[in-house]
Amino acid sequence: KKMNIWKQISELLSEQQSVVYLKVVQHKGSSPGKQGFEMLVSENGLLSGTIGGGRTEFQLVEEAKKMLANGETEGVLRKQVHRDKDADSSGMICSGEQWVVLIPLNFNQIELAKRFATADGGALTLSQNHIEYSELSASEQFSFNFNTHDDWIYVENINQKSYLYLIGGGHVGLAVAKICQDLDFVVTMFDDRAGLNTFEQNTYSDYKQIIDYQQIKTYICEGAHTYIVILTHNFRSDSDVLSALRNVHVHYLGVLGSSAKIKKMFADLETDGVSRTFLDAIDAPVGLSINCKTPAEIAISIAGKLISVRNSNL
């Protein structure tokens, strides 16, 4: 996940391996690397993370290797223009631009790297020859103020976690957990059935628990970074969960099921006093419409929708 790169950096530095930390600090248009993308290049040739891939990444990785070979200690800022007719084109033709900083790190920065590796919030600040951790979060997810190549500052909220609650531990829930563990979601799974094989086989969730669905709200951490997908094993369980969550404040709430099932369930819930405003805000049927057949395909459609919703704020 996102902060693992700092764990890798701290481990490399503890082994006396110098690294170059690369960060996309700004992008425009269809740039392959988006603001916040990061990677490392180590002295022993290890590469981890990405700043967009392709030729643009290859060129900067080669520059990072030269910095390590030459023992350079000062960071550099590189602007890449991805238009084939531009004088300083990167060679890519996606019509975007990106600014990438390359910062050498050595054993002297090991304590700083450890702080980033274990941080649960706070801010990363970068400038020409400075990297800093702050426990106070910045007001924006990303900010980049540029005057010259020697006078700029980048600030990023770090480790701003997205919390995904999967309510239902069947085959689809297991498949969704498997995908979303690689998408920087903190995954929690709930079910109300003890001994369920797919629930017990689930090693992809950060947390899982057997609960009473009517008490579901007490287990949910509400907020702007919370996502809920309801995919229980029957109509009644879905309805019970939705009724219990009728006043929940989260970023995203989706329900798995056919259009006919959703229509019937929502009508019954409205009759029972659940507000139409709440029901209209639910994504149901959940997922992207890609003609899914199998649990794995359904999971991909759900993960695609979660990515779309989350990235719409970036």
Side-chain angles (χ1 to χ4, degrees), residues 5-299:
I5 197 167
W6 281 105
K7 184 174 185 292
Q8 291 177 298
I9 290 173
S10 64
E11 290 172 352
L12 288 163
L13 296 183
S14 69
E15 297 169 1
Q16 300 288 336
Q17 289 283 329
S18 295
V19 304
V20 172
Y21 174 65
L22 298 89
K23 167 75 78 171
V24 180
V25 295
Q26 182 67 288
H27 79 274
K28 292 183 179 180
S30 300
S31 167
K34 308 303 181 187
Q35 194 172 39
F37 279 24
E38 60 189 356
M39 72 178 298
L40 70 84
V41 179
S42 77
E43 193 175 3
N44 63 3
L46 176 67
L47 308 179
S48 183
T50 183
I51 52 169
R55 182 184 296 184
T56 180
E57 182 170 294
F58 175 80
Q59 292 170 341
L60 291 178
V61 166
E62 291 303 301
E63 180 172 0
K65 290 178 179 178
K66 291 179 181 177
M67 293 174 72
L68 289 167
N70 295 333
E72 296 182 23
T73 58
E74 293 189 2
V76 295
L77 180 67
R78 296 288 183 251
K79 179 181 179 181
Q80 296 184 311
V81 180
H82 309 307
R83 290 184 291 271
D84 60 347
K85 294 182 180 180
D86 199 286
D88 56 352
S89 172
S90 66
M92 301 183 75
I93 59 172
C94 49
S95 299
E97 299 177 3
Q98 67 186 57
W99 288 257
V100 180
V101 61
L102 296 81
I103 298 182
L105 300 171
N106 57 42
F107 184 76
N108 293 331
Q109 284 89 31
I110 187 170
E111 293 304 320
L112 180 64
K114 288 179 179 179
R115 292 185 72 186
F116 281 118
T118 58
D120 187 16
L124 163 72
T125 299
L126 300 174
S127 57
Q128 184 65 19
N129 293 303
H130 183 69
I131 180 167
E132 179 182 336
Y133 169 74
S134 170
E135 293 184 355
L136 298 177
S137 297
S139 58
E140 301 176 87
Q141 179 64 51
F142 308 105
S143 65
F144 178 60
N145 296 307
F146 176 85
N147 293 316
T148 70
H149 273 74
D150 297 321
D151 182 15
W152 54 271
I153 187 168
Y154 171 81
V155 181
E156 175 186 342
N157 277 339
I158 60 171
N159 213 21
Q160 192 171 62
K161 297 177 180 178
S162 299
Y163 297 89
L164 173 62
Y165 294 90
L166 300 176
I167 304 174
H171 291 286
V172 174
L174 176 62
V176 175
K178 185 176 182 180
I179 293 175
C180 288
Q181 69 154 356
D182 290 328
L183 299 176
D184 288 332
F185 284 96
V186 178
V187 181
T188 297
M189 176 176 283
F190 297 125
D191 206 287
D192 65 348
R193 297 167 288 175
L196 181 65
N197 65 328
T198 50
F199 185 87
E200 293 180 348
Q201 293 166 9
N202 174 19
T203 60
Y204 309 108
S205 295
D206 297 273
Y207 311 97
K208 60 180 182 178
Q209 189 173 349
I210 303 298
I211 66 168
D212 178 353
Y213 281 151
Q214 294 190 12
Q215 304 299 317
I216 184 66
K217 191 173 180 180
T218 64
Y219 295 93
I220 300 294
C221 179
E222 300 183 49
H225 303 290
T226 296
Y227 301 72
I228 300 174
V229 178
I230 300 171
L231 22 68
T232 75
H233 62 291
N234 63 43
F235 177 97
R236 176 49 53 194
S237 295
D238 284 349
S239 184
D240 287 346
V241 170
L242 273 178
S243 181
L245 295 178
R246 66 177 68 192
N247 295 315
V248 71
H249 299 287
V250 298
H251 188 57
Y252 175 85
L253 175 59
V255 183
L256 180 67
S258 67
S259 297
K261 165 191 163 179
I262 298 298
K263 183 178 180 180
K264 167 64 175 170
M265 181 166 57
F266 280 18
D268 290 349
L269 286 167
E270 191 172 14
T271 298
D272 290 340
V274 177
S275 76
R276 193 70 227 181
T277 300
F278 171 72
L279 295 173
D280 286 343
I282 298 170
D283 183 24
V286 69
L288 302 177
S289 180
I290 55 174
N291 196 27
C292 302
K293 303 297 183 184
T294 67
E297 292 174 346
I298 296 170

